[in-house]
Amino acid sequence: MLDAAVKALSQILSPPMRSILWRSIGLALVLITVLAIGLQRLLSFLATSGEGWLAAMLGPGFQTPLNLLAWIVSIAAGLGIVFGAVLLMPAITSLVASVFVDEVADHVEREHYPAEHPGVALPLGLAMAEGAKTAALTMLVYLIALPFVLFAGAGFLIFFIATAWLLGRQYFELAAMRFRAPADAKAMRRDNAATVFTAGLFIAAFVSIPLLNLATPLFGMAFMVHVHKRLSGPGPELIEPRRKTNEPVA
């Protein structure tokens, strides 16, 4: 697995990948700005208007716990922009990866596996749906973990483990679906859950490094192409046409 990580790192800066790298960075910066500002405004709204609404609904007996909750949310709102560049990047990379998945995988397969069948590009709608689903789950984990950041960094540990599971799952399935029907790709991921999660730890570590994390879509996808190839064995057969033709395979 370390060898796969080294290969992925060396390739993301290669000349064929540079165009993808700059485009993915540009898209990531736009998305991170929009999401960070939106999250900060949402938390600020909850800390003000939300407190008044809950107080009117629950009555004066809940004023003290509501004040405490408003205080926590207010701090979280302030931290939203500060930590957003790191904690929101897993959600951002999930969306960006779904756009560039096939370009990255094509380069990796051509350079490292030229004698094997190339993968078949995923339909954009399918890739975007997978990316949006992972991004939504990541945002949910972020919102759950953020209050715990105030307590001995427990939130960071929760978020790191969840990120490893979510991104490992997404990138592996995107790599596998170039060769397998979606249901088969998900089944393969479940059958190799421990390996995929371990690989996800590499991606979670990468995405936690500021600035470098902008290249996560390239690293994560290139890395998981290698992981999928090794789990598949030599010369995996191309079975993607089943998805395109909708014809049963004997």
Side-chain angles (χ1 to χ4, degrees):
M1 198 168 289
L2 282 173
D3 180 58
V6 170
K7 286 181 178 178
L9 282 171
S10 64
Q11 192 167 11
I12 62 177
L13 294 177
S14 64
M17 288 279 212
R18 286 175 191 166
S19 172
I20 307 173
L21 177 62
W22 289 117
R23 283 182 285 142
S24 67
I25 288 175
L27 180 57
L29 288 174
V30 171
L31 291 175
I32 191 66
T33 301
V34 172
L35 278 179
I37 292 174
L39 179 64
Q40 192 274 336
R41 291 186 177 180
L42 172 62
L43 292 174
S44 296
F45 170 79
L46 293 176
T48 54
S49 302
E51 181 189 5
W53 179 78
L54 285 174
M57 183 178 67
L58 298 176
F62 289 86
Q63 190 61 45
T64 299
L66 286 177
N67 288 338
L68 177 61
L69 179 61
W71 176 75
I72 293 175
V73 174
S74 295
I75 295 177
L79 293 175
I81 295 296
V82 177
F83 294 109
V86 174
L87 298 182
L88 289 177
M89 277 307 294
I92 298 301
T93 61
S94 296
L95 295 172
V96 176
S98 64
V99 176
F100 299 105
V101 51
D102 287 305
E103 288 187 73
V104 175
D106 282 340
H107 284 299
V108 176
E109 290 168 9
R110 282 201 301 268
E111 178 172 341
H112 294 282
Y113 308 97
E116 298 183 11
H117 271 304
V120 174
L122 277 67
L124 182 60
L126 174 62
M128 291 293 292
E130 292 294 323
K133 180 172 65 177
T134 302
L137 287 171
T138 305
M139 286 294 296
L140 178 61
V141 172
Y142 172 83
L143 291 173
I144 293 171
L146 187 57
F148 294 98
V149 171
L150 303 174
F151 305 104
F156 289 111
L157 180 60
I158 294 170
F159 193 71
F160 182 82
I161 293 173
T163 297
W165 182 75
L166 288 167
L167 293 189
R169 168 180 173 157
Q170 182 201 11
Y171 283 102
F172 182 82
E173 289 182 0
L174 288 175
M177 282 191 286
R178 288 173 52 81
F179 293 90
R180 307 167 187 275
D184 295 333
K186 294 178 187 295
M188 184 180 185
R189 188 260 306 164
R190 289 192 295 269
D191 291 341
N192 297 277
T195 300
V196 173
F197 175 73
T198 302
L201 292 173
F202 283 79
I203 302 175
F206 191 94
V207 80
S208 67
I209 303 173
L211 298 181
L212 185 63
N213 56 15
L214 292 170
T216 302
L218 279 73
F219 171 75
M221 193 61 208
F223 180 47
M224 280 303 189
V225 167
H226 293 300
V227 172
H228 172 258
K229 287 285 188 179
R230 294 183 182 190
L231 290 176
S232 298
E237 291 296 324
L238 184 67
I239 63 174
E240 179 64 21
R242 176 171 55 179
R243 187 177 65 215
K244 298 182 69 177
T245 62
N246 294 319
E247 294 178 359
V249 177

